[in-house]
Amino acid sequence: MSVTPPGPIGDPVFGNGRRYAADPFSFMRVCADSYGDIVRFDLGPRETYMLANPADIERVLVADAERYRKPDFGDDAIDTLLGNGLLMSEGETWQRQRTLANPSFHSRRIGALAGTMVDHTESQLADWGDGEVVDVQLEVARLTVKIIVSAMFGADITDEEVKTVQEKLEPLGARFEPDPRRFLIPNWVPTRENREFDDAVDTLESVIDGIVERRQGTERDPAADPAGPEGVAVRGPAEDGSDGHGGGDLPMDLLSVLLRARDRGEQTDENLRDELVTMLLAGHDTTALTLTYTFYLLSNHPEARERVAEEAAAATTDGAPTAADAREMEFTDRVLNEAMRLYPPVYTLFREPRLDVKLGGYRIPEGSALMLPQWVVHRSPRWYDDPEAFDPSRWKPERRSRRPRFAFFPFGGGPRHCIGKAFSLLEAKLILAKVCSQYDLEYEGPDLSLRGSLTMHPDHPVPMRIRER
């Protein structure tokens, strides 16, 4: 095997962590431009290798996926927040939880949830007024929280609970912003940041406990009401959408599936908590961010906004848009892809080799961190003409087919690809159909500035003026 890959020289103790923390997006781009497909650097105590070639990324995520695992960064905060939920679990635990969750994301069930998505959107738009200015990031996050709770918990969440969740997202996100000093301070040290993080986790768990208690208090006999509280039941064996236990119609929202598994002794209360926290956070945040960046881009590109509005009008001509209507929104689909290319909510993934591996001619040691950065690959001139430009036409089939498969991977890939991809894309298109058929949104803020945490967020409010069409 070859020598160590090239990379920037770091500082003592912190390595390249200070530069990465100051601006992770510029740091990753400069490293790729300066050093090539595989770059080595140190983020604090961790030796990190960044992969910028789609072929290497595909090997890690797909072809050789069994050789890699999620890395342990020695930070208990992520375990405190997400525990052994789908995002963080490994091995048999992950496989068991993924198998349990699969029926809740069955394509037939997702399509049947269109009405739920539209109903919540219509309810929220009823509060909008012509000429009003809203922070669109907060608006769509409030909406997607309500949708994920209805769709996957089979319950409703109160406006006060939504407000509480949104208030606590700030200290949760701040805890995961890059900071090279953090590994020097244990999580048990009562710093202001650690106290605020612990309080936010406790509050989030109390909100989820309240939802579960209400749900259990209002459960009905599935035989008497086959649709269940969330209004979507699926009949058939496991591969056809059920959880594989019982032959009748059962409510298939994730909470119902997990509660039945707990009753069978296959889940603990801790398993249940981890999956619900993971679903609440991951299930609303990435879709809300995709919509935020989409509205921002459409505001800056009126011709594209008008084409999306035309598709939205067609989708809503006969009333509420359906999953079938969403499938016809081809230009809107390209716009969403272009928004996720330019502003991927998940801007980098991490993996850890289980043993020494060879990538790009270099030896990558067991236990090191592999960084797979959507931010870098999605904006590379090797794969995209004029990569900084907003160009939905690059997603026409003939152009898309000329690029490597993993030149675009907003939802990851391989066995651990995002389970909620179809749900998120349907939700985004239906929300766009409702909003863009009624309103034009005009951005009135500063140049977009970004900050990195578990996901990539605007570093400021995103004010949009509402104009009735």
Side-chain angles (χ1 to χ4, degrees):
M1 291 187 179
S2 236
V3 295
T4 301
I9 297 173
D11 302 324
V13 182
F14 296 114
N16 305 101
R18 293 179 191 268
R19 292 173 61 192
Y20 180 77
D23 187 344
F25 311 108
S26 292
F27 177 81
M28 291 187 292
R29 291 284 299 279
V30 168
C31 282
D33 292 344
S34 301
Y35 300 104
D37 285 349
I38 301 184
V39 187
R40 181 201 175 280
F41 45 79
D42 293 321
L43 297 181
R46 194 65 177 264
E47 186 176 34
T48 302
Y49 296 83
M50 186 179 80
L51 308 184
N53 191 311
D56 292 326
I57 292 170
E58 184 170 11
R59 281 189 60 190
V60 171
L61 294 179
V62 182
D64 297 334
E66 72 282 353
R67 297 187 179 185
Y68 302 90
R69 61 189 168 211
K70 290 289 186 83
D72 178 3
F73 287 104
D75 185 350
D76 292 337
I78 192 70
D79 295 329
T80 300
L81 179 61
L82 301 180
N84 254 342
L86 275 176
L87 282 179
M88 302 308 299
S89 57
E90 285 287 342
E92 292 182 1
T93 299
W94 174 81
Q95 187 62 61
R96 180 188 70 238
Q97 298 302 105
R98 180 82 175 208
T99 300
L100 274 173
N102 277 336
S104 300
F105 293 90
H106 187 273
S107 60
R108 186 169 52 173
R109 180 173 190 272
I110 297 305
L113 287 168
T116 295
M117 298 172 180
V118 171
D119 287 346
H120 280 294
T121 305
E122 290 177 341
S123 177
Q124 183 135 334
L125 294 186
D127 295 332
W128 285 16
D130 186 29
E132 179 183 0
V133 175
V134 299
D135 183 343
V136 77
Q137 181 184 7
L138 292 179
E139 285 289 299
V140 293
R142 182 158 63 99
L143 174 56
T144 56
V145 165
K146 291 180 177 181
I147 289 173
I148 198 68
V149 171
S150 289
M152 291 299 157
F153 294 10
D156 289 325
I157 184 170
T158 68
D159 289 339
E160 189 61 33
E161 287 171 329
V162 172
K163 182 180 178 181
T164 298
V165 169
Q166 290 189 304
E167 288 174 349
K168 295 306 179 182
L169 288 179
E170 183 60 33
L172 290 177
R175 180 59 184 78
F176 297 103
E177 292 179 14
D179 183 347
R181 301 165 299 177
R182 187 165 287 125
F183 75 91
L184 300 175
I185 305 173
N187 290 306
W188 53 263
V189 175
T191 63
R192 180 178 61 83
E193 183 184 59
N194 284 347
R195 291 197 308 271
E196 290 179 350
F197 173 78
D198 290 339
D199 175 68
V201 173
D202 290 343
T203 302
L204 190 64
E205 289 181 343
S206 70
V207 169
I208 287 177
D209 288 343
I211 294 171
V212 173
E213 287 173 8
R214 292 198 301 273
R215 174 62 191 281
Q216 290 180 305
T218 58
E219 277 192 330
R220 293 165 287 180
D221 179 6
D225 184 3
E230 85 289 2
V232 180
V234 177
R235 178 190 294 274
E239 64 269 20
D240 196 31
S242 83
D243 65 353
H245 295 274
D249 288 330
L250 294 171
M252 296 310 298
D253 61 279
L254 183 63
L255 178 53
S256 289
V257 170
L258 294 175
L259 287 173
R260 291 197 293 271
R262 189 186 65 178
D263 291 344
R264 296 192 300 268
E266 299 171 5
Q267 293 281 285
T268 65
D269 287 338
E270 186 177 7
N271 294 145
L272 187 70
R273 173 262 179 213
D274 291 347
E275 296 302 348
L276 296 181
V277 171
T278 296
M279 188 55 57
L280 179 62
L281 295 180
H284 94 274
D285 183 52
T286 52
T287 308
L289 288 170
T290 295
L291 286 165
T292 297
Y293 297 130
T294 299
F295 285 127
Y296 169 77
L297 289 164
L298 290 176
S299 176
N300 291 329
H301 298 85
E303 291 184 6
R305 182 175 66 188
E306 192 59 32
R307 288 191 63 182
V308 170
E310 290 171 2
E311 287 193 340
T316 56
T317 296
D318 298 325
T322 64
D325 294 319
R327 287 192 291 271
E328 298 299 316
M329 299 173 68
E330 294 183 0
F331 183 76
T332 303
D333 191 64
R334 293 178 207 152
V335 166
L336 285 168
N337 279 343
E338 187 69 346
M340 290 187 289
R341 183 188 71 82
L342 285 167
Y343 299 105
V346 178
Y347 61 95
T348 189
L349 301 175
F350 286 93
R351 291 292 187 269
E352 174 185 302
R354 298 177 184 271
L355 67 169
D356 288 3
V357 296
K358 185 178 181 180
L359 290 167
Y362 296 108
R363 184 186 68 85
I364 310 297
E366 172 189 358
S368 57
L370 287 179
M371 179 185 282
L372 319 177
Q374 288 98 328
W375 176 263
V376 170
V377 178
H378 289 189
R379 288 174 173 252
S380 172
R382 296 170 66 185
W383 321 118
Y384 298 96
D385 298 332
D386 196 8
E388 303 297 316
F390 174 73
D391 179 11
S393 69
R394 69 173 89 246
W395 297 102
K396 291 182 177 180
E398 62 272 18
R399 293 184 65 184
R400 185 171 189 167
S401 65
R402 295 197 292 265
R403 293 190 295 268
R405 177 183 175 192
F406 276 79
F408 182 66
F409 59 113
F411 295 97
R416 297 194 65 134
H417 70 279
C418 176
I419 194 173
K421 176 181 177 180
F423 180 94
S424 176
L425 291 176
L426 176 62
E427 179 184 17
K429 291 172 82 171
L430 292 173
I431 291 172
L432 285 169
K434 289 300 299 179
V435 173
C436 295
S437 64
Q438 297 176 239
Y439 302 105
D440 288 331
L441 301 184
E442 300 173 359
Y443 181 62
E444 296 192 351
D447 291 342
L448 195 62
S449 176
L450 304 169
R451 63 183 174 90
S453 180
L454 291 176
T455 49
M456 184 179 73
H457 283 252
D459 198 24
H460 49 76
V462 185
M464 294 271 184
R465 188 170 297 280
I466 300 168
R467 301 291 189 193
E468 288 188 4
R469 291 186 62 83

